């Protein structure tokens, strides 16, 4: 794993660092340290100082908020190729959510001092970070729009399309296979609904021919999902 982190292609696979040249990527690799977390181990909690970020190389981490009534709200799941903690690292504010390893997880940690030194030596990092934050803002806006304006079946279809685009890019194939590494309960938390309601929404998408669930894999029809995602169109 350490050898992997020494390769520029590894760091360029993270959206946050895509705009960096080979020299900047080499400096990034030299300044990062490898760390592992076991399932259930907390990486950080809401309110903790945000003095480091992590680039995930393997495993899965859930980002959550605890509602006043004690209910856990899952914001998203992060996997290999995702970064965590970059917002707090840049703005100096405390952590805005809890991060907990769902699986055995490996990542490469970069602290604020090294990040600042890297940004000073390689100005392209600033532009790359700005582009990344704009992308994340657009994704968050789309997620909030889905929760506020769409019925559950449409929200589920939009979530599945978003997941497919994360894996395949904007040009989706006629059919695609998706393996969601989250439980139906976790999916319900992401969509802001109960598990029985999500199950009914899944059944509705199946009846529409948008999804076919078989042996732990979902075969998806992007055209049918797009129609379900915009029911009024």
């Amino acid at each position: 794993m350490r050898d992997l982190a020494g390769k520029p292609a590894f760091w360029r696979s993270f959206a946050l660092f895509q705009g960096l040249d080979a020299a900047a990527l080499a400096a990034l690799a030299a300044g990062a340290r490898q760390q592992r977390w076991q399932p259930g181990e907390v990486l950080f909690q809401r309110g903790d100082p945000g003095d480091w970020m992590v680039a995930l190389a393997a495993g899965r981490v859930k980002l959550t908020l605890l509602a006043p009534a004690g209910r856990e709200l899952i914001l998203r799941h992060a996997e290999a190729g995702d970064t965590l903690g970059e917002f707090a690292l840049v703005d100096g504010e405390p952590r805005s959510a809890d991060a907990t390893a769902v699986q055995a997880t490996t990542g490469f940690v970069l602290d604020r001092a090294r990040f600042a030194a890297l940004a000073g030596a390689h100005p392209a990092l600033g532009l790359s970070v700005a582009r990344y934050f704009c992308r994340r803002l657009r994704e968050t806006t789309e997620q909030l729009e889905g929760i506020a304006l769409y019925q559950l079946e449409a929200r589920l279809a939009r979530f599945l399309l978003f997941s497919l685009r994360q894996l395949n890019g904007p040009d989706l194939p006629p059919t695609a296979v998706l393996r969601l590494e989250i439980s139906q309960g976790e999916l319900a938390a992401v969509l802001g609904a109960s598990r029985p309601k999500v199950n009914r929404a899944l059944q509705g998408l199946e009846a529409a021919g948008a999804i076919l669930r078989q042996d732990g894999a979902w075969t998806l029809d992007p055209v049918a999902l797009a129609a379900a995602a915009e029911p009024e169109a």
Side-chain angles (χ1 to χ4, degrees):
M1 190 69 73
R2 183 72 247 185
D3 292 341
L4 176 67
K7 298 178 179 179
F10 170 77
W11 291 100
R12 198 171 278 123
S13 68
F14 295 92
L16 186 62
F17 305 124
Q18 283 178 352
L20 301 186
D21 59 22
L25 293 171
L28 182 64
R33 58 181 173 83
Q34 183 175 319
Q35 189 164 336
R36 293 184 175 89
W37 296 269
Q38 296 303 312
E41 188 173 354
V42 174
L43 283 71
F44 53 76
Q45 292 182 303
R46 186 178 188 181
D48 285 351
D51 50 8
W52 55 271
M53 62 162 287
V54 59
L56 295 179
R60 185 157 55 95
V61 175
K62 65 177 180 179
L63 293 167
T64 61
L65 292 175
L66 192 63
R71 178 170 171 262
E72 183 182 68
L73 173 63
I74 299 177
L75 302 176
R76 68 183 180 100
H77 283 80
E79 300 178 325
D82 291 326
T83 52
L84 294 175
E86 64 276 12
F87 283 87
L89 185 69
V90 171
D91 66 15
E93 295 295 321
R95 302 294 189 193
S96 58
D98 300 337
T100 308
V102 178
Q103 303 171 348
T105 298
T106 301
F108 290 87
V109 173
L110 186 71
D111 63 35
R112 177 177 284 116
R114 291 183 183 274
F115 185 87
L118 184 64
H122 302 277
L125 177 59
L127 181 58
S128 184
V129 168
R131 287 173 173 163
Y132 172 79
F133 283 0
C134 287
R135 173 181 159 188
R136 288 290 306 277
L137 179 59
R138 290 179 186 275
E139 291 173 355
T140 301
T141 300
E142 184 176 344
Q143 183 181 22
L144 291 174
E145 179 189 35
I147 293 174
L149 302 180
Y150 292 87
Q151 297 297 319
L152 180 56
E153 192 169 306
R155 299 205 307 264
L156 176 57
R158 291 167 70 87
F159 172 81
L160 294 174
L161 284 170
F162 174 79
S163 300
L164 284 179
R165 292 184 181 116
Q166 290 287 93
L167 295 172
N168 299 280
D171 298 323
L172 298 179
T175 59
V177 176
L178 181 67
R179 290 184 179 273
L180 281 180
E181 300 294 333
I182 60 176
S183 68
Q184 199 170 111
E186 290 172 324
L187 179 58
V190 170
L191 295 173
S194 67
R195 183 173 175 176
K197 288 182 178 179
V198 168
N199 191 48
R200 287 196 292 273
L202 285 168
Q203 292 171 358
L205 291 179
E206 283 182 313
I211 66 173
L212 174 64
R213 292 182 286 176
Q214 189 173 22
D215 298 329
W218 296 7
T219 301
L220 307 179
D221 181 334
V223 174
L225 279 176
E230 300 288 347
E232 297 179 0

